[in-house]
Amino acid sequence: MRLFKLFNNKRLFILLITLVAFIVLMGFSLGPRKSLSWPENFLRDTTGFVQKLFYKPAGYIAGFFEDIGNLRDMAEENKRLKILMAQYARDKAQYNFVMSKNEELEVALKFTEAQRNLYKYEYHIANVVSVTTEPGNNTLVIDLGSKDGIRLNMSVTSTEGLVGVISNVSNFTSTVKLMTMMDIHDPNSQPPIAATAVNKEGKTFGMIESYDQKTGMLLMNKIPVGDPIAKDDKIISSGSGGTYPRGMTIGIVEEVKISQFGLTSTAIIKPAAGFQDWKELFVVFTEERVE
């Protein structure tokens, strides 16, 4: 019994000493000091080392996964940008096409309105389907046919000038024989064009009968002596003969030559039409052919 009591007193004594030491230690920790005690330094250094040992690799791992996430976001952003670039390129091309088409239609509209006001003709726009440039067969095919009212020998023009005449017609397409096939010695050639000069109607007259393949010029023959035709005159169809409507632009006079015997003259004419790179042309409907 005494031993048990002594043992209890000893435990109480140790607890008391421990409490006092703890209070003293707390006093040192809370009180104003210039330096930490070695146990505190040891504890702080140990804690910092452990944090550095575990937190730094953890930071690398976290940063690695964050970089992966950023790369994924960048990839998605690049994908969206590529799609936008493709859409922009497509829209830009479409815009350019529409603008070009509008410009062509504006030119065509002004042309047809001006011609209609002058001669009351109708101009039916036609797309060029194909072009043949074989020697002796300079023709092209348009997407208008008999169902559209197209008939043989109708004139075909561009916005610049006369191109040729309809030489063959099917239901949905027609063949145009170009002025570059004009040859006075060829019975299958395009018919000659009775022509005159602008502001000299009634004074100037001649027949455009052939095309010089070497020079690319039209020849206007049978011009009578004393005719006032001159260089830089604008030549148009006179309407005589009925094949070609009056007032169709043909070209510009480059030179006038007197024939060998001095009875007539020949005018060298540069065609107004370029005879290449056509996309659209116009078929001329005169009053008796309008349907």
Side-chain angles (χ1 to χ4, degrees):
M1 185 68 177
R2 177 183 287 183
L3 182 60
F4 180 74
K5 185 176 181 180
L6 180 62
F7 178 74
N8 286 338
N9 290 337
K10 188 177 180 180
R11 288 178 61 186
L12 182 61
F13 177 75
I14 292 173
L15 180 60
L16 182 60
I17 293 300
T18 302
L19 181 61
V20 171
F22 177 74
I23 293 172
V24 172
L25 182 61
M26 288 293 292
F28 278 109
S29 299
L30 297 175
R33 293 177 298 162
K34 295 182 178 180
S35 62
L36 300 175
S37 63
W38 71 265
E40 291 174 323
N41 283 325
F42 176 76
L43 182 60
R44 175 171 294 184
D45 292 341
T46 302
T47 302
F49 175 77
V50 172
Q51 289 177 339
K52 183 178 180 181
L53 184 64
F54 288 99
Y55 289 174
K56 193 169 184 180
Y60 286 148
I61 294 173
F64 173 74
F65 285 107
E66 184 177 356
D67 291 340
I68 291 177
N70 291 336
L71 288 174
R72 187 180 296 109
D73 293 339
M74 290 178 63
E76 291 295 327
E77 184 66 20
N78 286 337
K79 184 177 180 181
R80 287 193 293 269
L81 289 175
K82 288 179 180 179
I83 293 174
L84 289 175
M85 286 293 291
Q87 291 175 342
Y88 172 78
R90 180 195 62 194
D91 293 343
K92 179 65 174 176
Q94 183 69 14
Y95 172 80
N96 291 339
F97 174 79
V98 171
M99 289 299 294
S100 176
K101 192 68 175 179
N102 284 343
E103 290 176 0
E104 292 177 5
L105 292 176
E106 284 180 2
V107 172
L109 179 62
K110 291 178 181 178
F111 166 77
T112 54
E113 285 182 347
Q115 294 292 316
R116 186 182 297 112
N117 291 335
L118 282 174
Y119 303 112
K120 305 300 180 183
Y121 301 150
E122 285 190 9
Y123 293 81
H124 292 210
I125 192 166
N127 294 305
V128 176
V129 176
S130 64
V131 178
T132 302
T133 57
E134 298 175 359
N137 187 30
N138 290 343
T139 59
L140 56 83
V141 178
I142 58 176
D143 64 349
L144 296 182
S146 58
K147 70 177 183 59
D148 304 294
I150 304 299
R151 300 290 183 269
L152 290 176
N153 292 325
M154 278 186 164
S155 295
V156 178
T157 183
S158 67
T159 56
E160 290 80 21
L162 190 63
V163 170
V165 295
I166 301 293
S167 61
N168 187 274
V169 181
S170 63
N171 287 334
F172 302 101
T173 62
S174 298
T175 302
V176 180
K177 185 180 293 185
L178 302 180
M179 292 174 62
T180 54
M181 289 187 64
M182 294 188 71
D183 186 349
I184 190 173
H185 304 295
D186 183 359
N188 296 320
S189 172
Q190 178 178 333
I193 307 172
T196 185
V198 174
N199 297 325
K200 295 179 181 180
E201 296 89 341
K203 299 178 181 179
T204 292
F205 180 82
M207 298 296 293
I208 297 178
E209 298 177 318
S210 59
Y211 175 84
D212 190 327
Q213 298 289 342
K214 294 181 179 179
T215 62
M217 297 291 178
L218 291 166
L219 303 180
M220 181 174 171
N221 301 318
K222 302 178 181 178
I223 302 173
V225 176
D227 192 299
I229 189 171
K231 186 178 184 303
D232 296 328
D233 278 351
K234 182 178 180 180
I235 302 302
I236 59 175
S237 57
S238 67
S240 301
T243 300
Y244 300 93
R246 180 169 59 95
M248 305 301 298
T249 299
I250 298 172
I252 302 296
V253 176
E254 291 283 311
E255 183 183 0
V256 179
K257 296 181 178 180
I258 299 176
S259 67
Q260 183 178 359
F261 300 103
L263 300 177
T264 59
S265 297
T266 297
I268 312 301
I269 301 172
K270 182 178 181 180
F275 299 105
Q276 61 183 354
D277 298 329
W278 283 314
K279 296 179 181 178
E280 296 171 339
L281 294 172
F282 301 91
V283 180
V284 184
F285 282 64
T286 56
E287 290 183 359
E288 65 273 15
R289 298 195 179 194
V290 173
E291 296 182 2

